Amino acid sequence: MTTRSKLPPGPPGYFLVGSFPLGARDPLKLLTRWASQYGDIFYYRAFTTHVYFLNSPDAIESVLVTNSRDFIKGRGLQVNKRLFGNGLLTSEGDFWLRQRRLCQPAFHRDCLRAFSPTMVAYAERMLEHWRDGEVRDIQEELTRLTLQIVAKTLLGVEMGELVQEVSRSVRPIMQFNTRGRILMPLVRYFPTPLNIRYRLAVRRLEEIVTRIMDKRRANEAAENDLLFVLLQARDERGHSMTDTQLRDEVMTLLLAGHETTALALCWTFYLLALHPEVENRLLKEIDEALEGRLPEFADLAQLKYAENVIRESMRLYPPAYAMARVALKDCEIAGYRVPRGASVVMSQWIMHRDPRFFERPEEFDPGRWTEEFMKRLPNFAYFPFGGGPRVCIGASFAMEEAMLLLTMILRKFRLRLCSEEKVEPLAALTLRPAPGLKMKLQRREQALQHSRSAQAAP
Ligand code: HEM
């Protein structure tokens, strides 16, 4: 293919400022419109940043896999360097590779199997407090639950009262990452109330991570989990990790390892409440597979429909809705020259709703995920966990956890929406239900009676 020297098509933009979709009221809608208007690749300038937006699986694969060495993580994550430091999500090069190899064994199948009783036990503990007819903020409940699970399984600590403090700190961090702050440096550095709240929240999280590390160092009886491996690791010269590096890895695992899974589950419960026919089929699968007992790791292979429900929910509401890279050198993508220093953006939100790959793309249909369909689907038409060498290290952990927690909750409860209003997604660092997600709990036996009496009604 010949490389075109012209820029790809794209919105015209304003003098000096350029185009600024992340500052729009509804950035996802605007970017989707541009993708359908301009095709597989479009270009815009946001102030001094040149953005190449990719909307084809091949182009995305070329950046994430084939030529991954020519790119580093994008500005969105760099903005959060204060938070993640040089942890696994943000580090680069040989240093990243060494840390990735160190962490990888903690996500092997045998470890995942060993984590499942802990996931089930924490879910059981949460459900002990749930009562029929109550309204609960499901996002908050699930975020607390997944936080406790990641802390216990990977870091070997009981979060206890720290859970509330972490949830309280994560909120301003997510607010900071909305509406244009990612690309607008001036807005980021002014001491606005939002920026001050962000800095205080990061500081609070740092204190919590230090407390976790102290707690863990004091607990010699704890098992050989990932934090143990990180504490024991030595480099070629026999040096252990510095406290700062440990802090960065623990902060990264703690944050990357809970919020996204909680959101995947939130959106799943939202979609199930809107689609009772899907929920009924799922309940049937769960009831038949478990016959009333608690789920185990070995059950996951049988719960095929549950897996497809989560897959489909992450298609429509991918918790990581976009990813970015910066080109380290001039390169060619989709026939266009992309200069060194340019930003390359790929969006799960847009690709997952592309009618070229998904029929009736706006419809929630877990049944579409047949073996045949998956074989036909091009790589990177669906990529909720990213791909290539930087693919999510916790992808299997997340799927296991999402399936076990979904099953645990649905054994006992159906969750109902409190209002008929559509829940709009908010594109922050992750894709969140904008106003949170309050749902009404219906205990299963009661739910059954409700639906029987509704059927009996004239
Ligand atoms: C549904 C849940 C999850 C989703 C949708 C998700 C999504 C992603 C995505 C898209 C990336 C790639 C980012 C990029 O390349 O720019 C990523 C990376 C990462 N994720 Fe996840 N994630 C989930 C759960 C988890 C869990 C449970 C953990 C840890 C227990 C985790 C830890 C990480 C880490 C450490 C990275 C960086 C990996 C590297 O660069 O080597 N994630 N995740």
Side-chain angles (χ1 to χ4, degrees), residues 55-57 351 353-359 368 373 376-378 380-381:
N55 303 303
S56 99
M351 288 311 304
R353 288 168 183 251
D354 190 323
R356 289 175 295 176
F357 310 111
F358 300 96
E359 267 177 42
R368 74 170 80 233
F373 173 74
R376 261 197 339 258
L377 192 67
F380 294 95

Side-chain angles (χ1 to χ4, degrees), residues 64 73-74 77 87-91 96 100 104 107 150 153-154 226 249 252-265 310 314 318-325 348 383-387 389-399 401-402:
L64 293 184
K73 290 284 178 107
L77 277 178
L88 205 52
L89 195 62
T90 38
S91 57
W96 161 78
R100 173 96 188 194
Q104 197 74 60
F107 296 92
V150 78
T153 51
L154 296 183
L226 183 50
E249 297 300 1
T252 298
L253 288 166
L254 205 60
L255 296 185
H258 83 283
E259 231 256 333
T260 38
T261 316
L263 288 173
L265 278 167
I310 293 165
M314 286 200 293
Y321 61 93
M323 296 165 47
R325 295 289 188 266
Q348 287 91 340
F383 60 116
F385 295 107
R390 304 299 300 249
V391 68
C392 175
I393 199 170
S396 304
F397 180 109
M399 282 308 289
E401 187 181 24

Side-chain angles (χ1 to χ4, degrees), residues 194-239:
L194 196 62
N195 292 351
I196 291 169
R197 277 205 297 277
Y198 174 84
R199 277 172 224 169
L200 288 176
V202 173
R203 205 172 307 153
R204 219 165 33 234
L205 282 177
E206 278 176 336
E207 284 162 15
I208 293 170
V209 166
T210 307
R211 272 153 74 185
I212 288 179
M213 285 169 18
D214 290 347
K215 232 179 179 187
R216 185 50 214 279
R217 282 183 173 125
N219 179 9
E220 286 170 5
E223 300 182 12
N224 290 358
D225 48 46
L226 183 50
L227 183 51
F228 177 82
V229 172
L230 296 174
L231 286 165
Q232 297 300 313
R234 298 288 178 271
D235 65 15
E236 315 77 54
R237 283 179 286 166
H239 295 157

